[in-house]
Amino acid sequence: MFIHTSGNRGGEKVDEHAIAMWKEIEAECQKHALHKVMIVSDVEGRLSPSDSSKVVDFLSKLDIQPHLKLSMVDLSFGSYLDNLLSEKIAYEKGVIGKVFHDEAKGREWIGL
């Protein structure tokens, strides 16, 4: 599954918006028996460590775990650095995923 997001991460409830997106992704993955997800994020704004932790915790409990393989390509350098922290937290929770700043590398890693 390939997803492209854009916009601005500013404001409140950043974690709730991300979790809502993941609920939709999970439903589509279950509906179509998909296990590879590539997200290209062109979203401005930073992701707090608290928001990162909440989203990754939710992600680690999805029904599509442990089969999910996630490639996150973050085109914004600031939030790319934030997502590297999310990658570390995800790894510790058993989520298979990697963060990239280059779309071609993300595609190659996930095999899409």
Side-chain angles (χ1 to χ4, degrees):
M1 170 184 286
F2 180 86
I3 299 160
H4 184 270
T5 62
S6 61
N8 193 311
R9 204 176 262 120
E12 297 178 10
K13 302 182 182 180
V14 172
D15 58 329
E16 291 178 23
H17 293 289
I19 288 170
M21 179 185 75
W22 272 107
K23 287 178 180 178
E24 291 180 34
I25 291 170
E26 180 180 38
E28 287 298 308
C29 285
Q30 289 173 327
K31 182 178 176 182
H32 301 289
L34 301 172
H35 299 289
K36 292 181 180 180
V37 175
M38 180 172 174
I39 300 174
V40 176
S41 176
D42 194 8
V43 177
E44 294 299 320
R46 302 295 299 262
L47 191 61
S48 74
S50 173
D51 287 338
S52 292
S53 183
K54 288 177 190 173
V55 173
V56 171
D57 187 56
F58 178 82
L59 183 61
S60 72
K61 296 174 184 171
L62 291 176
D63 288 339
I64 56 175
Q65 281 297 97
H67 307 289
L68 175 68
K69 184 174 182 181
L70 170 64
S71 174
M72 167 64 96
V73 179
D74 199 325
L75 302 177
S76 170
F77 189 71
S79 59
Y80 163 75
L81 296 175
D82 298 336
N83 276 311
L84 287 176
L85 172 62
S86 297
E87 177 184 307
K88 181 181 182 306
I89 296 168
Y91 176 79
E92 292 170 356
K93 292 184 176 278
V95 176
I96 300 171
K98 193 143 177 69
V99 177
F100 300 90
H101 193 59
D102 179 293
E103 186 174 340
K105 290 180 182 177
R107 282 185 182 276
E108 179 182 340
W109 180 81
I110 200 165
L112 290 178

